[in-house]
Amino acid sequence: MKKKFVTIGCLILSMLLGGCGLLFQVAGDSQRNEIRSMEVLSAAENDEWIYHVNYPHYYYGFNRQDMGSAAIYDFSQAIPVDKVPTEDFEFLRDYVLGLSEAEKQEGDTLAYAVLLHYYDENGETEMVYVEGYDAFPEGFDTFVERVNKVCGANYLTGSGSLQEVTPEFLHEVWGVTDDDVPGGTLADLIEQEEIDMKKLTEDFHMESALYSFYARQKEAIIAPYRATELCEADSTEEEYEVFVAEFEQRLSELDYELKESDVQAQDQDYMVRYNDFYIAKTTELSKMSIEEPRYEGDEYHIVLDAHMEGMTMSADFIYSRDGKFILIDCNDVDIQEAFVRCGE
């Protein structure tokens, strides 16, 4: 009787252990053959102006405001990544892996882009990115239908004419015209900033793009005075005062008032704070903490005290025309231009 009991006990223990093993296997498989994230752009014309999704988080749209920007909207009905049916995961994975990327040629129009992160059968993270131009690949419409399914609604369109970034489209979305482009046209802006549907539907701000275009028009004037090397030139206090007076006059012509900060706001050594930037003599450079260029084509930077324990910040600077003074931590190209024109 005792022997029989032991045999049954062993059998039960074996079944329990086997069951535990099964449970462990299922738990282990929960991170295998599963989407981690999937970003898809389809430039097919879309009545809702939705061209870009980032599953499982959000989709991109336009806020429809004058001089607006790309906006992010959370999904409300997306299938959780661990609930995506196996057949949908395998279809999406296999389709993306089967896409071949063509090299972009001048004049090509972006049609689609896909970035897929997923867990393979061993639980290892895999990533694949592919984009294509001018036309959609075979089966793309079906692929988009499956993408929309896991996202929870019909966000993307998978076939039809391509929506290109044109002056007319920018005007339709945000009301901008050629008159809003300083020194150019919307067509110039699109070309110079290389705006395609991917860039337009990511972290895009219309005003920032216009300012970037404007800033590039000034670059030829400012570039010769950027800190590609360290230079020092002697100057007197009188020369400094004359320079600042001319700088102030040039800024006043731009309806910008130059103000020297009060003593309490002078927060850095070897330089004087004006408004939200600094001016210093180049003879003080050797006393400052300098950060050397980090890569070819980079510039020297000045390390400023961030006034938080152990924290500093890196600041750009440019030289005056005579090399005697520097403008530090100023990103306004109109102010930079006024500074380097002093002494003409």
Side-chain angles (χ1 to χ4, degrees):
M1 183 70 177
K2 185 177 181 181
K3 183 177 180 181
K4 186 175 182 180
F5 175 78
V6 171
T7 302
I8 293 173
C10 288
L11 179 61
I12 293 173
L13 181 61
S14 177
M15 290 175 65
L16 287 173
L17 289 174
C20 289
L22 179 60
L23 289 174
F24 287 139
Q25 185 66 33
V26 170
D29 282 347
S30 67
Q31 293 300 311
R32 298 176 182 177
N33 288 326
E34 181 179 287
I35 295 175
R36 181 179 178 185
S37 65
M38 176 176 57
E39 191 170 356
V40 180
L41 177 136
S42 171
E45 290 182 347
N46 185 313
D47 292 338
E48 299 299 322
W49 290 357
I50 300 173
Y51 303 92
H52 196 161
V53 299
N54 193 333
Y55 172 83
H57 309 295
Y58 46 79
Y59 65 94
Y60 296 90
F62 303 121
N63 57 20
R64 313 278 181 110
Q65 298 174 353
D66 290 347
M67 293 295 182
S69 61
I72 291 175
Y73 303 94
D74 291 336
F75 287 130
S76 58
Q77 298 176 324
I79 300 174
V81 290
D82 59 347
K83 302 296 183 184
V84 174
T86 299
E87 63 181 43
D88 289 330
F89 162 74
E90 291 180 346
F91 174 85
L92 293 167
R93 177 201 60 195
D94 294 347
Y95 184 82
V96 176
L97 290 174
L99 291 173
S100 57
E101 184 173 1
E103 189 172 331
K104 183 180 180 181
Q105 304 295 323
E106 185 175 354
D108 285 352
T109 300
L110 180 68
Y112 65 92
V114 182
L115 174 62
L116 176 64
H117 286 92
Y118 67 95
Y119 296 104
D120 65 15
E121 66 278 4
N122 299 313
E124 299 292 331
T125 302
E126 301 288 347
M127 186 275 285
V128 57
Y129 177 79
V130 63
E131 59 184 36
Y133 303 88
D134 293 339
F136 298 113
E138 183 178 352
F140 192 73
D141 200 32
T142 303
F143 168 71
V144 165
E145 287 179 6
R146 204 71 67 102
V147 171
N148 285 335
K149 176 184 175 182
V150 300
C151 292
N154 292 324
Y155 294 102
L156 299 177
T157 300
S159 61
S161 300
L162 293 180
Q163 177 60 65
E164 298 184 54
V165 180
T166 63
E168 294 75 21
F169 186 64
L170 292 180
H171 176 70
E172 184 180 5
V173 173
W174 286 313
V176 291
T177 68
D178 287 345
D179 292 338
D180 296 308
V181 185
T185 65
L186 286 172
D188 297 330
L189 171 71
I190 293 167
E191 180 180 3
Q192 178 180 283
E193 299 301 307
E194 298 181 335
I195 306 173
D196 58 17
M197 288 303 293
K198 187 172 186 293
K199 186 170 184 177
L200 192 70
T201 57
E202 291 183 323
D203 185 23
F204 184 85
H205 299 265
M206 193 69 242
E207 284 188 300
S208 296
L210 290 168
Y211 182 78
S212 177
F213 178 86
Y214 178 68
R216 291 198 190 193
Q217 314 311 308
K218 303 286 187 178
E219 184 58 21
I221 299 170
I222 299 168
Y225 306 99
R226 295 202 178 278
T228 56
E229 57 183 325
L230 295 179
C231 305
E232 292 188 12
D234 290 335
S235 61
T236 65
E237 191 61 29
E238 182 181 2
E239 287 176 314
Y240 175 80
E241 291 174 359
V242 169
F243 178 87
V244 170
E246 182 182 351
F247 185 41
E248 182 179 19
Q249 176 59 36
R250 288 183 177 274
L251 290 179
S252 69
E253 294 169 2
L254 301 173
D255 295 323
Y256 187 95
E257 184 180 1
L258 182 67
K259 291 183 179 180
E260 182 175 342
S261 302
D262 58 31
V263 174
Q264 290 75 19
Q266 297 297 338
D267 59 341
Q268 307 291 336
D269 295 329
Y270 313 117
M271 60 189 74
V272 180
R273 184 184 182 102
Y274 294 84
N275 302 57
D276 56 355
F277 50 81
Y278 305 88
I279 298 176
K281 298 176 181 178
T282 55
T283 50
E284 302 293 331
L285 268 174
S286 60
K287 303 174 185 177
M288 300 178 191
S289 177
I290 301 295
E291 185 180 90
E292 296 198 357
R294 290 157 289 186
Y295 51 85
E296 186 176 352
D298 190 24
E299 302 158 16
Y300 287 90
H301 297 79
I302 294 174
V303 179
L304 301 179
D305 185 354
H307 303 296
M308 291 182 283
E309 187 175 355
M311 299 290 288
T312 59
M313 53 187 178
S314 180
D316 295 334
F317 67 99
I318 59 173
Y319 293 98
S320 60
R321 181 173 293 269
D322 58 11
K324 295 182 178 181
F325 311 106
I326 50 176
L327 178 68
I328 305 164
D329 200 28
C330 176
N331 296 318
D332 188 310
V333 293
D334 286 329
I335 296 175
Q336 291 179 349
E337 181 184 13
F339 187 83
V340 300
R341 285 194 180 280
C342 289
E344 278 185 329

